[in-house]
Every structure is written in structure tokens, then in C-alpha cells.
Amino acid sequence: MKNKIILTKIFQKEAVDILKKDYDLIIVEGSGKDLKTTLKNNPDTEVIISFLSDKIDRDIIEISDNLKIISNYAVGYNNIDFIFARDSGIFVTNTPDVLTAATADLTMALILGVSRRIVESDKYMRSGKFKGWGANLLLGRELGGLTLGIIGLGKIGLATALRARAFGINIAYYSNNRKPDLEKKFNFEYMELEELIKNSDIISPHIPYSDDVHHLFNKNTFEKMKDNAIFINVSRGGIMNESHLADALESKKLFGAGLDVFEFEPRVNDRLNKLDNVIMVPHIGSATYTARLGMANIVIKNIKQVFSGKVPENLIPEHNVLKS
């Protein structure tokens, strides 16, 4: 009998074909049932392949006594009650590294798009408003000499910083752990968080979500930012208060914002929808074929390792206790 796997949503065909060949695969999406019902109907399920939009809480985890691994098709995993899973002897894995380049590329795309008002200009053209060149038409900001403040200099933060340097942007960063080797090698400047917020022309957080950083960017934070600064968020929606961001954009305190994630995703604050100085994209940070297939392959690798009696390679850090 094949091991039973539940995949909550359809992903890359190549990965689905591998799973169907090697395992008893049940796909929730399109079945007319939800995850909880599917699990109740399949109590021998050993694997859940989940997405960030799936809430894998205690009620879900407790349904199957045979569950061995929750393999999250994402880098983040705040959608999972990973502490309860760990304490129940269930592995939780994610898909790091493979989406670093794609997410860093999108971060730069948003910085460029906001600073040069690309989306606003496109709408201007399509609406038939363009009547010819004008000296003051849709003036943007040049990037050379500006300071990009990166919060969280992990792999994505570093990849973003290196891309930004090619545009002549100075890099400042805040991280829980200083990185003197990178400071020396790339001439990055370390700043404490409040100093970085006050002195950066562009701010881009690259941190996981937790209660500690909930609404890190709020009215007080936006007021401390430089006038005409740019705010970018490809991290997690919960780290910002969208209503307070809308205030800062409406008042022109900020030059603009570029968002790939949202506080109440998939809902977006109606005020942001009406603003020209914000670019919003639908959580596409990792949305390249290369990255998404790579994520699916990591998911499969972690599952195979568990079924081989091994500790999965991409175990989340909170599971370190299980490695000892």
C-alpha cells in the first residue's frame, strides 16, 4: 500500500506527476471538500503539503494519528501551529533558498516601479492623457546615492542589497545578528532599527512574521521615516498596519510604496486601491517557473527523506529539539 499524501492546492504538473506515481495522492483543490473533511475521510494520511494560505492549526493536526510531516510550500510557516506539531512528533518543513533570487528581483522591480512611477505612467498613457513631453510630467526619484535600509539581512535581504548596489544605492541594515564580514566586504552600514528607519530613503523589511513584529510599521514608524521615503514590503503583511500606511501615502509623507503582501490577505485596504503612489502585486515574490518548481522539488525531497527514516533537510529551526 502506498503512503497517503494530501496536497491542499495544485502546483507544478511535474511535481504532481511524481507524487501520483510514488504515493497515494489526494488533492483538496477542486474536490468540493475542505482540508478538514478530506483528512477525516482519510485518517491514514501521513503527509500534508500545505500553502501559506492554509491554516494548519491544532484542530487540523489532531485529525490524523498517522501524520508524519507537514511540508509547507513556502519559506514562511506562520500558517502552521508548528509548536503543537513539533510536540506531537510531526516534522514541519519549508522551502528556503530556492526562491531567494526571484524575491530579490521582485523587490528591485518594486523599488524601480515606485521610484519612477511606472504603473502610474502606464495608466496615464492608457487613459489617453499623454499630450506630449513635459518638463514636470510624472517626476520620479533617482536611485543613485539614496540609502536602502534593509531589515533582516538574511539570504533574500543580502540578494536585494547586492542588486541595489548596482544602481548606486548605499546599503544600511539592521539584523538581530551583526554581520561584520559583509559590512567589510560590501561596505554595508549597520544601524540600530530606529536609526535605520529615520535615515533610510527606501526601507525594505525581509523578516519572518511573528507576534514580536506585528505592526512593526505603524503610525509611529511611518512618522519617523524620512519625508519622501519609499516603503517596500515583500515580507509578510502582518508586519504593517495598512490603514496607517494609507495615511502616510495619502498625506504624501511617503513618496510611495510597493507591496507584494497584505495585512488581511487576500483583502486589501480600500484606501490603498485608490492611491496612485502605491504599487500592489498579488503575492508573486517567488512567482517564477524556476523558483516554484524548485519549491515543489524541495517539498518532495523532504517527504522522501521522512519516509526513508531520515530527518528532513529543510526542517524549520524550531524543530532543533527533534534533531538531538
Side-chain angles (χ1 to χ4, degrees):
M1 181 178 291
K2 292 182 176 181
N3 303 98
K4 184 168 288 186
I5 295 175
I6 289 180
L7 172 65
T8 62
K9 295 177 179 63
I10 296 170
F11 57 11
Q12 283 61 46
K13 181 180 183 301
E14 297 94 324
V16 170
D17 289 345
I18 291 171
L19 290 169
K20 284 182 175 178
K21 176 177 176 292
D22 295 339
Y23 307 106
D24 180 5
L25 181 68
I26 298 171
I27 302 175
V28 177
E29 185 178 26
S31 69
K33 299 174 183 177
D34 60 16
L35 175 58
K36 183 174 285 190
T37 302
T38 304
L39 276 167
K40 287 180 177 178
N41 292 340
N42 297 276
D44 53 342
T45 296
E46 296 177 84
V47 179
I48 297 174
I49 301 174
S50 55
F51 293 66
L52 268 178
S53 54
D54 298 313
K55 186 178 181 182
I56 312 296
D57 57 14
R58 181 172 184 155
D59 289 343
I60 292 291
I61 295 168
E62 285 183 324
I63 293 172
S64 175
D65 292 333
N66 295 297
L67 198 60
K68 292 180 171 63
I69 176 174
I70 302 166
S71 191
N72 214 38
Y73 180 80
V75 172
Y77 44 88
N78 55 287
N79 58 308
I80 300 170
D81 187 341
F82 51 83
I83 299 298
F84 180 73
R86 180 196 66 190
D87 293 346
S88 302
I90 299 166
F91 293 119
V92 177
T93 59
N94 64 345
T95 61
D97 303 339
V98 70
L99 46 68
T100 296
T103 308
D105 287 349
L106 180 67
T107 305
M108 282 308 306
L110 289 173
I111 291 172
L112 287 163
V114 172
S115 64
R116 293 306 305 271
R117 302 170 68 176
I118 299 298
V119 172
E120 187 180 355
S121 296
D122 181 79
K123 288 169 60 177
Y124 187 86
M125 290 292 298
R126 293 175 190 273
S127 65
K129 294 179 179 178
F130 182 52
K131 304 303 179 184
W133 185 91
N136 293 303
L137 179 62
L138 290 161
L139 299 181
R141 298 199 66 185
E142 291 190 18
L143 297 178
L146 298 186
T147 295
L148 168 61
I150 292 179
I151 300 172
L153 197 65
K155 292 178 180 177
I156 294 174
L158 176 59
T160 299
L162 296 179
R163 283 160 172 74
R165 288 184 67 218
F167 291 86
I169 298 173
N170 301 313
I171 305 299
Y173 80 97
Y174 167 79
S175 187
N176 288 333
N177 299 305
R178 283 193 69 167
K179 304 179 186 294
D181 291 346
L182 294 179
E183 293 174 29
K184 183 177 180 180
K185 182 176 181 179
F186 298 115
N187 197 29
F188 294 166
E189 181 180 3
Y190 175 83
M191 294 183 182
E192 292 295 337
L193 182 58
E194 187 161 338
E195 181 187 9
L196 181 141
I197 287 168
K198 289 180 177 179
N199 290 287
S200 298
D201 300 289
I202 307 164
I203 293 180
S204 183
H206 295 276
I207 52 177
Y209 177 81
S210 69
D211 290 341
D212 292 338
V213 294
H214 180 71
H215 285 183
L216 173 64
F217 288 90
N218 53 38
K219 180 180 180 181
N220 184 49
T221 316
F222 292 125
E223 286 178 350
K224 289 179 180 177
M225 289 171 63
K226 292 175 71 171
D227 291 343
N228 226 25
I230 292 170
F231 176 69
I232 304 293
N233 190 3
V234 301
S235 182
R236 288 290 176 264
I239 69 173
M240 65 183 178
N241 183 310
E242 280 186 12
S243 180
H244 295 173
L245 174 59
D247 289 340
L249 291 167
E250 285 175 346
S251 68
K252 301 298 174 70
K253 161 67 177 178
L254 299 183
F255 182 83
L259 308 176
D260 182 45
V261 291
F262 304 90
E263 184 179 359
F264 303 107
E265 197 167 310
R267 290 190 294 114
V268 178
N269 187 294
D270 286 340
R271 292 162 63 201
L272 293 178
N273 277 324
K274 299 171 183 176
L275 293 172
D276 286 329
N277 58 341
V278 57
I279 295 177
M280 298 183 290
V281 294
H283 206 144
I284 59 169
S286 63
T288 67
Y289 183 82
T290 300
R292 292 284 170 85
L293 181 58
M295 292 165 65
N297 286 334
I298 289 175
V299 163
I300 293 171
K301 177 186 68 176
N302 287 322
I303 292 168
K304 287 185 173 182
Q305 287 172 336
V306 169
F307 285 144
S308 298
K310 301 175 182 176
V311 173
E313 185 176 329
N314 298 107
L315 202 61
I316 64 172
E318 289 81 359
H319 265 290
N320 283 339
V321 64
L322 296 180
K323 293 180 179 181
S324 59

